[in-house]
Amino acid sequence: MKKILFMAICLFTAGSVSAQQYYYGPRHPHHQQKRSNDDFYTVKVGITGGLNIANTVDAYDSYNSTGTIAGFNAGLYFDVPLAYPVSFEPEVLFSQKGFTAQLDDGTNFTSRANFIDVPLLAKFHLVPGFNLLLGPQISFLTSTNNTYHDPTGTTTDNYNYNGNNTIVAGVFGVSFDINPMVEIRARYALDLTANGNNDGPDYRNQVFQIGLGFRIK
């Protein structure tokens, strides 16, 4: 986890420096700024991918949480201008979530869940190269892989849901424009509705994301 956080800090630092060079570089800085504002009013399409660090938390007991697992996210995003400096950014992502835990009998348990996430975000272009994103996310659970590991061996159970298990989450994030075609993005997402049955703890997915976005249009 420390290595991942260190890499994330380095990535953001490099992105911030690159963004400053792009927007405030020595070659006609005022001209570059104007081009950036003009570009705001075009609809943009891109692809994105990155790392997920996920676990679950109990909505009513902050100490009742689980261990983290690493996964990935990838998909398509749109950036639709509304009124400067606000645009609408809907996305469709494949996203891996889940958690690890040690059961009462000592068994090491890992649950890896595959989702189709649909973030519907407001994007605030605060300063050149730096953006704030906020909004809801609809998540469709497609499948779950549960692994049990104990001294006698490992067993695995697979479940398919065909996207008929729907969860609503909240998303907060930031992005840094390295140049007009590439951005660094970081986000935090937390389920707003329960994930599971009503007999146990109110577990909700918690996901930290870092990745890159590549504009294709």
Side-chain angles (χ1 to χ4, degrees):
M1 180 65 72
K2 290 182 179 179
K3 291 182 178 179
I4 294 173
L5 292 175
F6 176 74
M7 292 174 61
I9 293 171
C10 291
L11 197 59
F12 277 121
T13 301
S16 178
V17 171
S18 298
Q20 290 180 14
Q21 290 177 347
Y22 171 68
Y23 288 103
Y24 303 110
R27 293 187 301 172
H28 310 294
H30 296 292
H31 180 59
Q32 295 284 5
Q33 177 66 35
K34 184 176 185 301
R35 286 175 54 191
S36 174
N37 288 340
D38 289 345
D39 190 55
F40 169 83
Y41 294 101
T42 63
V43 176
K44 306 170 187 65
V45 182
I47 57 175
T48 181
L51 173 70
N52 283 357
I53 301 296
N55 71 338
T56 60
V57 295
D58 188 339
Y60 301 107
D61 183 359
S62 60
Y63 294 100
N64 193 11
S65 62
T66 57
T68 61
I69 66 169
F72 74 92
N73 65 83
L76 187 69
Y77 73 88
F78 301 84
D79 191 334
V80 182
L82 297 178
Y84 190 84
V86 182
S87 61
F88 174 54
E89 184 163 312
E91 303 179 357
V92 179
L93 308 172
F94 173 82
S95 186
Q96 290 184 326
K97 307 174 189 179
F99 64 93
T100 63
Q102 187 170 62
L103 305 183
D104 292 338
D105 62 0
T107 299
N108 293 319
F109 175 74
T110 300
S111 178
R112 187 176 299 277
N114 297 320
F115 285 85
I116 299 298
D117 286 344
V118 183
L120 304 170
L121 306 178
K123 184 174 184 179
F124 301 89
H125 303 256
L126 300 181
V127 296
F130 177 75
N131 312 295
L132 177 70
L133 297 101
L134 182 68
Q137 173 177 278
I138 303 173
S139 298
F140 303 94
L141 178 62
T142 61
S143 64
T144 301
N145 177 281
N146 294 333
T147 302
Y148 303 82
H149 180 73
D150 60 31
T152 64
T154 300
T155 59
T156 301
D157 295 327
N158 296 299
Y159 303 93
N160 292 314
Y161 299 94
N162 299 317
N164 56 11
N165 190 333
T166 305
I167 298 170
V168 178
V171 178
F172 171 81
V174 295
S175 66
F176 296 88
D177 300 326
I178 299 178
N179 58 49
M181 306 303 293
V182 182
E183 68 174 14
I184 299 175
R185 45 173 53 194
R187 294 183 182 174
Y188 171 76
L190 177 66
D191 288 352
L192 302 178
T193 54
N195 181 19
N197 58 60
N198 297 324
D199 298 328
D202 186 2
Y203 282 125
R204 306 186 182 208
N205 291 300
Q206 174 180 244
V207 185
F208 296 90
Q209 298 178 329
I210 184 169
L212 295 173
F214 300 92
R215 179 178 170 181
I216 57 178
K217 180 182 177 183

